[in-house]
Amino acid sequence: MANPSKIPRVDAPGPGELQGFVHSVSPVKISARNKYFNVIFQVSRDQYHRGVVFTADKHRQFERAAYTCTPVGLSNIRKTSGLGQDFNIQVHHGSTLEVAEVDVGMKPPPDSQVLKIGKVAAKVIFLQTSSEVVNAFGANLENEECWTADDTGKIRLLLYDDLIPRVLLGHSYKFRCISTADKGGLHLTTTRSTTVEEIPAIEVPEAFSFTEAPAEVIFRTKGLVSGVERQERRTCSRCRQTQTAFDCKSLNHRCQSCRLLQKTVLFPAKVSGTVVLTSGSTDVHLTLTITVLREFLECNQLCHLLQDVQSIEEYLLNTPQLLVEHNDANMVTSMRLGTEVSGS
């Protein structure tokens, strides 16, 4: 997916421009002459405009802006008559979408409602090849997209953090305590309370049979760690709320949300971060997700380092060499000690 942080910035709207938030991005549709998709654009707290985007290659950009709640500016657009004093928006090949600073806060359209769902049994028919880090539930979380199906249809499902390694392509699961969301189009999303249970295979129509994700270009870099920065997050094992202040050396900790005093070990560390890998004269800045770092620690019997996460930084800095596989967005997909691989 496109990264909204790479979208250029714009300061103030001019003629033929709008600033605000993107909502309700539809799937790409095909007409007799072209491909298009629909959006809703919020320009003030309670004012929304319907839009049609006549260039399918902008779909990911609009979808990502909606999902991450990024304020954006639209320029070089057309305005057409709507109901009463309202107008609709047309976005074409010459239009641009740029990150902007706006005074209005993001507010979903009135007809967009979140529904909580008790349980869903479905088969995973598509799984994103690599995860990414997004801001959700008030924290930076690891996120991965999949599609699920049963005998009635299919729908997109977003997985977060610990649930990612538990879901495999082609397997069937019972998901409990999930909800609907409308950022980037209607889909399902896991929550802090979601549980996943593998169940016997569910038969789905051949049209929904699972599909391998498109092959992602993966780069391999071998070098020395010249810099590392960790991001540590602790969540309460009871209410699932993220703790903003935490002393890992204390025996007990009082949750800032449910206010229960609990043993520190009941607030497990979830560690991600950034690592600078120096290969020859080149520095490569790479993002480590929770899943990749946890797999690396487990493979090398280093899970005890999670008790004092600063020791993870010190370990990586003193590692002779690392062999890292990453995508074109510099998200690490796997990491091994360089001494494990010969002839690389």
Side-chain angles (χ1 to χ4, degrees), residues 172-214:
S172 299
Y173 301 92
K174 184 176 290 183
F175 299 92
R176 290 185 173 90
C177 299
I178 59 177
S179 66
T180 63
D182 197 34
K183 299 174 186 176
L186 183 64
H187 61 274
L188 299 176
T189 179
T190 56
T191 68
R192 296 188 182 96
S193 304
T194 299
T195 61
V196 177
E197 174 191 352
E198 187 164 4
I199 59 176
I202 293 177
E203 296 298 326
V204 300
E206 186 174 348
F208 299 155
S209 59
F210 72 82
T211 307
E212 295 289 345

Side-chain angles (χ1 to χ4, degrees), residues 19 64 152 208 309 321:
Q19 289 186 349
R64 177 52 49 193
T152 64
F208 299 155
V309 293
Q321 274 192 328

Side-chain angles (χ1 to χ4, degrees), residues 45-217:
R45 177 176 172 78
D46 297 302
Q47 185 179 8
Y48 304 86
H49 298 285
R50 297 185 180 277
V52 182
V53 183
F54 290 104
T55 170
D57 57 3
K58 293 187 186 325
H59 188 261
R60 286 290 189 185
Q61 200 175 20
F62 274 83
E63 194 174 48
R64 177 52 49 193
Y67 176 70
T68 58
C69 303
T70 302
V72 296
L74 287 174
S75 61
N76 198 19
I77 59 174
R78 297 192 184 104
K79 299 178 182 178
T80 60
S81 298
L83 295 175
Q85 300 298 316
D86 193 14
F87 61 86
N88 298 325
I89 302 168
Q90 290 186 356
V91 179
H92 51 84
H93 287 281
S95 305
T96 59
L97 176 72
E98 301 174 314
V99 173
E101 294 184 3
V102 299
D103 295 330
V104 62
M106 194 280 294
K107 180 182 177 183
D111 57 353
S112 173
Q113 297 182 353
V114 173
L115 300 177
K116 293 183 178 180
I117 300 174
K119 60 182 178 180
V120 169
K123 182 177 183 178
V124 178
I125 60 171
F126 173 87
L127 191 63
Q128 191 175 333
T129 54
S130 61
S131 58
E132 57 188 342
V133 178
V134 299
N135 188 276
F137 309 117
N140 289 327
L141 305 181
E142 186 177 357
N143 165 257
E144 190 168 278
E145 175 184 314
C146 72
W147 281 78
T148 61
D150 58 15
D151 59 353
T152 64
K154 61 181 180 178
I155 192 168
R156 183 164 60 112
L157 171 64
L158 298 180
L159 306 168
Y160 289 98
D161 274 6
D162 295 340
L163 298 180
I164 292 174
R166 298 182 57 188
V167 174
L168 302 174
L169 179 65
H171 291 230
S172 299
Y173 301 92
K174 184 176 290 183
F175 299 92
R176 290 185 173 90
C177 299
I178 59 177
S179 66
T180 63
D182 197 34
K183 299 174 186 176
L186 183 64
H187 61 274
L188 299 176
T189 179
T190 56
T191 68
R192 296 188 182 96
S193 304
T194 299
T195 61
V196 177
E197 174 191 352
E198 187 164 4
I199 59 176
I202 293 177
E203 296 298 326
V204 300
E206 186 174 348
F208 299 155
S209 59
F210 72 82
T211 307
E212 295 289 345
E216 186 175 36
V217 177

